[in-house]
Amino acid sequence: MALALQTFSTVKEANAALTVAGTRYLGGGTLVVRAANEGDVSVSILIRSTEPSLSAITVSGDKVRIGASVTMAAIACHPDLSSLAHAARAVGGPAIRNMATVGGNLFAPAPYGDFTVALLALDTTVSTKDGEVPIETFVAKRESNHAIVTAVGFTLPVDGGFRFLKVSRVKPTGVAVLSIAAVLEQAPDGTVSSARIALGCMADRPMRATAAEKALLGRKLTSDGIEPALAVARDGTSPITDPIASAWYRNEVLPVHLGRLLLA
Amino acid sequence: MAKVPVQFTLNGAEKAEFIDSGTTLLHALRDKIGDTSPKGGCHQGTCGGCSVIIDGELRLSCLTLAETCNGAAITTASGLSEGGVLHPLQRAFLDAFATQCGFCTPGMIMAATVLLDHTPNPSRDEVVEALSGNICRCTGYEPIIQAVLTAARSNSQNAA
Ligand SMILES: Cc1cc2nc3c(=O)[nH]c(=O)nc-3n(C[C@H](O)[C@H](O)[C@H](O)COP(=O)(O)OP(=O)(O)OC[C@H]3O[C@@H](n4cnc5c(N)ncnc54)[C@H](O)[C@@H]3O)c2cc1C
Ligand code: FES
Ligand code: FES
């Protein structure tokens, strides 16, 4: 079945159009148009909104709001988001980054969703017409979401507080074996006072490594200090198997890469 | 299905067409407008053969719906030569044997054009990064990288 596109100047009108069966929202199209090209007939009408707020990045103090239509390329070159640039650059090649949106990344199945891994560690909220929800809740229930995501919001970590790592076989643009993001705060004595760690490819969608987070509290970022966190890094994981790596391999190498990220 | 109008400039020339809604830009360019320089290798975003420049940015025409390009300025590889004289990148690709079967070449040249527009004197790593979304099954990449570096040098010599 052929595709049709409907464009609306407001999110409100686009949300109304999305209530019709066979419709889907169009972000950058890198997943949804690809699916149509591959013969996915579940979508017959793509809906998009050109409301300017969807493409805006606003930074006031340490509060960041990124519109859902903002691309990875726009994040990577934004002067106030330089600490997140490497996470945005981890998505695809240059052309994909000019198209791939933040909104679309929230829905990307593993092995994709690298930027969502970063957003999960950043304790992001996701905005739709129904209000704001924590990213964890949103991602867990994303299949049942029918409202347009308008923006994501988070607090920028202090300098050096955000860490991100994507492991891929083909450099510099390969699909992830896994990705890890961490937001760590340390007390004056160097012990970890708060930790949020997110993992990509370790389940069908980005997930938190809550056991490792707990095991890091009160510990120093030394090989001995992080030992208990690495020991429980695999708790609750259920990695994907794909042509890049098996679930077994991903679980084997996760503690190694988490260790490298924590000691970096 | 109802036809929809699309209008954009292609390599500086105004184009207006009626297309089926939902048509990809790749399809519109090749099959409606007759510019066959963008190549459909995978239609999945992975090969880069369909790369074009839209309003100064590298994009994949296989994943872009033509209707979203209304009012845009689109450049394809067929728009680079002027009056029968090859663009320095095209000349460098020929001289360096950076094109063999040629299927990847228009996409490679588009990616390299955007790179040199923003970074006239790129490092080797910057060239590799810029071409990282484009696949070549023939050359082994090294001649392509060298061609882009050579074109950058000849551009800066001409500018001096
Ligand atoms: C060659 C290639 C390489 C890739 N490499 C990577 C990679 O390295 N890392 C990675 O993370 N991803 C990668 N991707 C996947 C994809 O490009 C990204 O995940 C991208 O961020 C998806 O965003 P999009 O705007 O293109 O989504 P779309 O294709 O437009 O949409 C994807 C889904 O999200 C929904 N959606 C989009 N925006 C909204 C919104 N605002 N509100 C509600 N629903 C919405 C759509 O309805 C659709 O179901 C790659 C894709 C390709 C083709
Ligand atoms: S045809 Fe568009 S990337 Fe391969
Ligand atoms: S020259 Fe044949 S694919 Fe590159």
Side-chain angles (χ1 to χ4, degrees):
Chain A
M1 201 193 331
L3 270 186
L5 174 69
Q6 295 177 2
T7 302
F8 298 92
S9 55
T10 66
V11 171
K12 196 169 173 206
E13 292 165 289
N15 264 325
L18 276 170
T19 54
V20 176
T23 54
R24 181 140 353 137
Y25 191 72
L26 172 72
T30 59
L31 291 171
V32 86
V33 178
R34 174 160 89 162
N37 286 348
E38 284 175 354
D40 178 352
V41 290
S42 67
V43 183
S44 49
I45 301 175
L46 288 173
I47 306 285
R48 69 171 183 148
S49 169
T50 49
E51 191 168 306
S53 64
L54 292 173
S55 305
I57 300 179
T58 44
V59 183
S60 56
D62 59 359
K63 298 278 180 268
V64 179
R65 180 196 176 280
I66 303 180
S69 304
V70 170
T71 62
M72 296 299 139
I75 295 170
C77 69
H78 194 282
D80 296 324
L81 301 180
S82 54
S83 57
L84 308 181
H86 61 309
R89 252 185 246 116
V91 174
I96 289 285
R97 288 198 288 279
N98 286 333
M99 303 172 71
T101 67
V102 174
N105 206 265
L106 293 172
F107 294 89
Y112 298 143
D114 295 310
F115 197 72
T116 303
V117 173
L119 292 176
L120 193 52
L122 288 162
D123 203 7
T124 302
T125 55
V126 178
S127 303
T128 66
K129 67 174 169 44
D130 305 322
E132 288 185 359
V133 288
I135 187 167
E136 254 164 301
T137 317
F138 184 86
V139 169
K141 297 185 185 158
R142 64 187 179 187
E143 284 79 8
S144 59
N145 170 73
H146 297 293
I148 296 169
V149 173
T150 49
V152 296
F154 53 87
T155 304
L156 265 184
V158 292
D159 260 358
F162 174 74
R163 301 168 185 224
F164 181 85
L165 170 83
K166 173 175 170 177
V167 182
S168 55
R169 294 182 192 273
V170 179
K171 304 282 186 302
T173 313
V175 172
V177 171
L178 54 84
S179 50
I180 313 174
V183 174
L184 304 176
E185 283 171 29
Q186 284 167 273
D189 67 355
T191 57
V192 174
S193 53
S194 110
R196 278 182 71 95
I197 301 174
L199 309 174
C201 297
M202 299 310 293
D204 70 340
R205 64 197 71 198
M207 61 175 283
R208 290 266 299 279
T210 42
E213 290 171 359
K214 277 200 197 90
L216 263 189
L217 293 178
R219 309 283 301 188
K220 289 204 165 151
L221 294 178
T222 59
S223 335
D224 287 348
I226 65 170
E227 198 59 57
L230 301 190
V232 296
R234 302 181 188 113
D235 269 27
T237 62
S238 164
I240 56 159
T241 287
D242 66 1
I244 303 293
S246 65
W248 174 84
Y249 179 81
R250 286 186 158 105
N251 257 336
E252 284 301 302
V253 298
L254 171 64
V256 178
H257 292 295
L258 179 59
R260 285 180 192 162
L261 184 75
L262 294 176
L263 296 177
Chain B
M1 181 179 289
K3 302 273 184 196
V4 292
V6 289
Q7 172 275 323
F8 45 70
T9 64
L10 177 63
N11 302 319
E14 289 286 345
K15 298 283 170 192
E17 276 290 339
F18 284 100
I19 56 161
D20 290 329
S21 181
T23 301
T24 63
L25 179 63
L26 176 64
H27 188 55
L29 287 175
R30 291 181 59 87
D31 302 327
K32 292 291 280 184
I33 292 170
D35 181 349
T36 53
S37 65
K39 306 288 182 235
C42 65
H43 303 268
Q44 292 182 20
T46 40
C47 75
C50 67
S51 302
V52 299
I53 301 172
I54 303 180
D55 291 335
E57 285 185 352
L58 191 69
R59 300 283 180 93
L60 300 170
S61 61
C62 72
L63 300 182
T64 302
L65 298 188
E67 292 149 277
T68 63
C69 301
N70 264 317
I74 301 176
T75 306
T76 64
S78 58
L80 288 186
S81 64
E82 273 179 43
V85 180
L86 292 182
H87 184 276
L89 268 168
Q90 293 172 309
R91 182 82 260 154
F93 267 62
L94 275 182
D95 292 345
F97 203 47
T99 178
Q100 290 184 26
C101 81
F103 198 81
C104 71
T105 310
M108 290 285 182
I109 290 200
M110 286 292 94
T113 301
V114 174
L115 170 72
L116 298 190
D117 283 349
H118 295 106
T119 316
N121 289 303
S123 65
R124 188 179 188 286
D125 282 353
E126 285 170 327
V127 175
V128 171
E129 162 63 33
L131 302 179
S132 61
N134 295 67
I135 291 175
C136 175
R137 292 290 80 154
C138 302
T139 63
Y141 298 101
E142 199 53 43
I144 298 179
I145 297 165
Q146 290 309 326
V148 178
L149 290 169
T150 305
R153 275 196 297 273
S154 75
N155 280 349
S156 55
Q157 272 159 14
N158 291 343

